[in-house]
Amino acid sequence: MSGSVRQRLSDCLANASKADKAVASFMLAQLNSIPFETAASLASKVEVSEPTVGRFCRSIGYKSFKNLKNHLKQDIGDRPWLISDRLRDLQRRTQAGEDQLSRGLELEIGGLVAVYELAQTPEWKRVVKRLAETPAVFVTGFQTERGMAQIFVNQLQYLRDRVHLVDLAGGNFAELLTSGSNQSCLVIFEARRYSRMARLLAQDARKAGIPTTLVTDPFCDWGRDLVDEVFVVPTEFNLFWESTAQMASLANLLVNGVFIELGHTVEERMDYISRLYSRFTGYVGDSSGPSVGHQT
Amino acid sequence: MSGSVRQRLSDCLANASKADKAVASFMLAQLNSIPFETAASLASKVEVSEPTVGRFCRSIGYKSFKNLKNHLKQDIGDRPWLISDRLRDLQRRTQAGEDQLSRGLELEIGGLVAVYELAQTPEWKRVVKRLAETPAVFVTGFQTERGMAQIFVNQLQYLRDRVHLVDLAGGNFAELLTSGSNQSCLVIFEARRYSRMARLLAQDARKAGIPTTLVTDPFCDWGRDLVDEVFVVPTEFNLFWESTAQMASLANLLVNGVFIELGHTVEERMDYISRLYSRFTGYVGDSSGPSVGHQT
DNA sequence: GAAAATATGTTATATTTCTTTCAAACTGTC
DNA sequence: GACAGTTTGAAAGAAATATAACATATTTTC
């Protein structure tokens, strides 16, 4: 027995006992509100006894009703329209006992979806517009998010000038804060071990009237009142470590948005930057920018 | 006090105590998975005590945490929380507009799956083992992959010492190449605008007998004969830009693998590094490393 | 139609989850 | 720096939720 919760429920409908069938079909029908149910509440709704619910869950391979709910949480459901074959295959192999990689994968996919959902919010559009139009953009990230900020800066630099990585060392800290309030904007990447620096910077930026966007994880509790937009990115998958990948996706989507916003006016610049890079690192090849033309 | 759960949470953010604010913002960020949480689980994630959660819920007008969840049910009861539903929803909404967000998402997910597949190959296991056991690890990435390399180094440093970011400027270029052949190993992150540097480095490393792993995109054509393992990561989704997210996932998975390989012998080190980071950046909190304990 | 097998419910117990109480820690004020 | 007020967490108790054991009902098999 394997697969998603939905899968298992459907499977067992065929040859289950009366009560089990009742429970299964109720669950399928009300999948969305299952997490709110308790074994008892569900039992009374289906008009079976409490133990029946527990037993049923065990019969389809979960430890308990609670355990089933947990799986639901991580379940990405069946998506026959997606790359499901490979995914399912991976799941199967994993369930056979290799390890719990695929669970992590499911969670990562969930995170990715969340990021794409963010990209549809009004805040998102506002930030994209700002990143395209504000004369100077400053980006920062401390500790482990330092690299993230760097990536974002590198990419954005292809599209526009005056994109700076704010550094403790460099004097651009001051440069940011002394620029006029509608001359600059700030993007802060943060995660987990929130550094005091990020917070201080956000405070100062607010004082200086500089619009600030915070990209962080769900554990961040400061910020909501200090910055203009907070983008919360899931970072916990059940790897030992937190993942920065979703944040990278977010950064990519932002850059993508800016590109669309700026339109084709940037192509010239991109060629130029490409050539610059080439000169300094010696790559010789087509000079049409990283992936221009992939837009479909 | 009235309105939806989300409303109330937002409202209280303004003038709540520190712990309350933390709880509220976490809830807001994770609204979709709140139904799966229990007061205790939430408490531990936000790093407050259990009673605080209960009290908080009461302070914003619910009888208990459970009561809040029930209200949530009414608020978002028929809102999709299952990833599959959310995907569908996203698809529906984006199909209306002309931007092909959801298509890009699908591709990204496919890329993620590919990365997880890589993590099951023998090469992968070999690299993980090497990263765990070789006395010194060198990592490099040029241009846009510079940040990627940085992230990888930062994370790996939590687990072991002698992890170095190879830089054009720093003398560690030489340090790498003069170390004995089984004293060091090298990881190169590359993508698209393959720099001559990466290639030269790979050549020299080979001459010096240093095992080298190349992480790159499908367009890379050198390398197969110059390095010991090539991990090819999809980077093209139909965003204007290439995505580094999948590569970030790969880096994460590698670090995760190394952690598993090293076992719990590294916890001590991790505490130490954590404290170091804290001292220099001023974060004050638990000193148990970024996400220790999330392993299930 | 009776015996065996299976399925279900009742009651009692164990476990989890939540709340209360109270003391310690923190905050701001004089 | 001491005081009052607030916030927070630890421990213990109360409520809920889930499991186990056993008894009853139902179905299956012969």
Side-chain angles (χ1 to χ4, degrees):
Chain A
M1 184 83 71
S2 72
S4 68
V5 177
R6 174 176 265 149
Q7 188 80 49
R8 294 196 198 187
L9 287 172
S10 307
D11 287 354
C12 82
L13 275 176
N15 46 1
S17 71
K18 210 174 64 189
D20 283 1
K21 228 181 276 186
V23 174
S25 58
F26 182 88
M27 280 191 180
L28 277 171
Q30 301 284 313
L31 214 51
N32 281 340
S33 53
I34 292 301
F36 299 98
E37 302 287 351
T38 157
S41 72
L42 202 146
S44 87
K45 286 186 184 173
V46 191
E47 291 180 328
V48 295
S49 74
E50 219 173 309
T52 301
V53 175
R55 263 191 301 249
F56 168 71
C57 295
R58 239 158 297 137
S59 81
I60 59 170
Y62 298 100
K63 228 189 84 226
S64 65
F65 178 61
K66 204 179 303 175
N67 185 244
L68 182 147
K69 281 200 286 187
N70 279 334
H71 279 259
L72 213 51
K73 175 184 179 183
Q74 298 164 346
D75 205 345
I76 63 167
D78 27 355
R79 293 153 283 93
W81 50 276
L82 249 168
I83 31 73
S84 48
D85 296 344
R86 287 161 78 195
L87 183 57
R88 241 192 274 287
D89 187 49
L90 195 64
Q91 270 174 341
R92 191 177 46 66
R93 266 186 294 162
T94 306
Q95 236 145 27
E98 293 192 23
D99 57 1
Q100 17 128 288
L101 265 190
S102 82
R103 177 54 42 74
L105 172 58
E106 290 188 15
L107 292 172
E108 283 216 54
I109 291 177
L112 211 44
V113 173
V115 167
Y116 273 75
E117 282 173 340
L118 274 180
Q120 300 208 313
T121 59
E123 287 88 6
W124 182 275
K125 294 184 175 71
R126 191 166 72 216
V127 174
V128 165
K129 202 163 185 324
R130 188 188 302 143
L131 288 175
E133 295 175 356
T134 310
V137 175
F138 292 83
V139 182
T140 195
F142 299 93
Q143 299 181 38
T144 43
E145 304 328 307
R146 175 77 208 281
M148 198 56 254
Q150 169 111 50
I151 288 175
F152 185 64
V153 166
N154 280 341
Q155 295 193 345
L156 202 54
Q157 272 172 345
Y158 263 88
L159 297 181
R160 51 162 296 164
D161 57 359
R162 302 192 61 189
V163 182
H164 308 285
L165 185 64
V166 178
D167 208 327
L168 285 168
N172 38 20
F173 221 97
E175 192 189 332
L176 161 66
L177 295 171
T178 53
S179 66
S181 72
N182 47 12
Q183 291 301 298
S184 304
C185 66
L186 174 63
V187 180
I188 303 177
F189 288 94
E190 259 290 73
R192 236 326 133 109
R193 333 218 76 248
Y194 320 111
S195 76
R196 195 175 47 189
M197 297 315 302
R199 189 173 195 160
L200 287 175
L201 188 57
Q203 265 164 356
D204 288 353
R206 161 130 305 186
K207 254 183 240 154
I210 294 164
T212 302
T213 307
L214 175 65
V215 181
T216 186
D217 67 15
F219 298 96
C220 178
D221 58 341
W222 65 276
R224 301 226 169 233
D225 42 351
L226 274 179
V227 304
D228 300 80
E229 299 92 10
V230 182
F231 291 137
V232 177
V233 180
T235 53
E236 271 203 326
F237 311 105
N238 51 4
L239 300 177
F240 144 71
W241 200 271
E242 297 179 347
S243 170
T244 45
Q246 281 62 28
M247 213 172 260
S249 274
L250 185 142
N252 273 308
L253 277 180
L254 270 180
V255 173
N256 191 56
V258 172
F259 173 74
I260 292 171
E261 186 75 22
L262 291 176
H264 292 274
T265 62
V266 289
E267 283 184 6
E268 204 175 304
R269 173 183 172 83
M270 290 183 51
D271 277 0
Y272 177 63
I273 302 280
S274 265
R275 275 194 305 270
L276 274 186
Y277 265 126
S278 303
R279 275 196 52 199
F280 287 105
T281 55
Y283 174 82
V284 185
D286 87 282
S287 58
S288 57
S291 75
V292 181
H294 292 309
Q295 183 85 341
T296 41
Chain B
M1 183 88 70
S2 70
S4 69
V5 177
R6 167 172 258 140
Q7 191 76 50
R8 293 197 200 184
L9 288 172
S10 306
D11 288 355
C12 82
L13 274 175
N15 45 2
S17 69
K18 208 174 70 188
D20 284 1
K21 225 182 277 188
V23 174
S25 59
F26 184 88
M27 280 192 182
L28 277 172
Q30 299 282 303
L31 215 50
N32 281 329
S33 54
I34 291 301
F36 300 99
E37 301 286 351
T38 160
S41 71
L42 202 148
S44 87
K45 285 189 183 172
V46 193
E47 293 177 331
V48 297
S49 74
E50 220 173 308
T52 301
V53 174
R55 263 191 303 249
F56 169 71
C57 295
R58 240 159 295 138
S59 81
I60 60 171
Y62 299 99
K63 226 189 84 223
S64 66
F65 177 60
K66 209 176 301 179
N67 185 242
L68 182 148
K69 281 201 286 187
N70 279 334
H71 283 259
L72 211 56
K73 178 182 178 182
Q74 283 152 28
D75 285 8
I76 68 168
D78 39 13
R79 191 176 113 186
W81 50 267
L82 211 57
I83 300 291
S84 60
D85 294 340
R86 287 163 67 188
L87 276 173
R88 248 189 287 281
D89 192 48
L90 200 64
Q91 223 192 11
R92 190 175 49 66
R93 269 186 299 165
T94 53
Q95 250 158 13
E98 78 235 288
D99 57 351
Q100 301 222 344
L101 263 191
S102 74
R103 177 83 191 122
L105 173 57
E106 264 186 65
L107 292 171
E108 282 217 55
I109 292 176
L112 211 45
V113 173
V115 167
Y116 273 75
E117 281 174 340
L118 274 180
Q120 301 203 317
T121 59
E123 287 87 7
W124 182 275
K125 294 184 176 70
R126 191 166 72 216
V127 173
V128 165
K129 201 162 187 318
R130 187 187 302 144
L131 287 175
E133 295 174 355
T134 309
V137 174
F138 292 82
V139 182
T140 195
F142 300 93
Q143 299 179 40
T144 44
E145 274 23 65
R146 175 79 209 282
M148 198 56 253
Q150 169 112 51
I151 288 175
F152 185 65
V153 166
N154 280 341
Q155 296 194 344
L156 202 54
Q157 272 173 343
Y158 263 88
L159 297 180
R160 49 162 297 162
D161 57 359
R162 302 193 61 189
V163 182
H164 308 285
L165 185 64
V166 177
D167 208 326
L168 285 168
N172 38 21
F173 220 98
E175 192 188 333
L176 161 67
L177 295 170
T178 54
S179 66
S181 70
N182 47 13
Q183 292 300 298
S184 303
C185 66
L186 173 64
V187 180
I188 303 178
F189 288 95
E190 259 290 73
R192 244 318 138 111
R193 330 220 77 248
Y194 321 112
S195 76
R196 194 175 50 188
M197 297 313 305
R199 189 173 194 160
L200 287 175
L201 189 56
Q203 266 164 356
D204 288 353
R206 162 129 304 185
K207 253 183 244 158
I210 294 164
T212 302
T213 308
L214 174 64
V215 181
T216 186
D217 67 15
F219 301 96
C220 178
D221 56 347
W222 65 276
R224 301 236 164 229
D225 43 349
L226 274 179
V227 304
D228 299 80
E229 300 92 9
V230 182
F231 291 137
V232 176
V233 180
T235 53
E236 275 204 322
F237 311 104
N238 52 2
L239 301 177
F240 142 71
W241 200 269
E242 298 179 346
S243 169
T244 46
Q246 282 63 28
M247 212 172 262
S249 275
L250 184 142
N252 271 309
L253 277 179
L254 270 180
V255 173
N256 193 56
V258 173
F259 172 73
I260 291 170
E261 186 75 23
L262 291 175
H264 293 273
T265 61
V266 288
E267 284 184 7
E268 206 175 300
R269 174 182 172 83
M270 291 185 49
D271 275 0
Y272 177 63
I273 302 278
S274 264
R275 275 194 305 269
L276 275 186
Y277 264 125
S278 303
R279 273 196 53 197
F280 287 103
T281 55
Y283 172 83
V284 185
D286 88 286
S287 58
S288 57
S291 75
V292 180
H294 293 309
Q295 183 89 338
T296 41

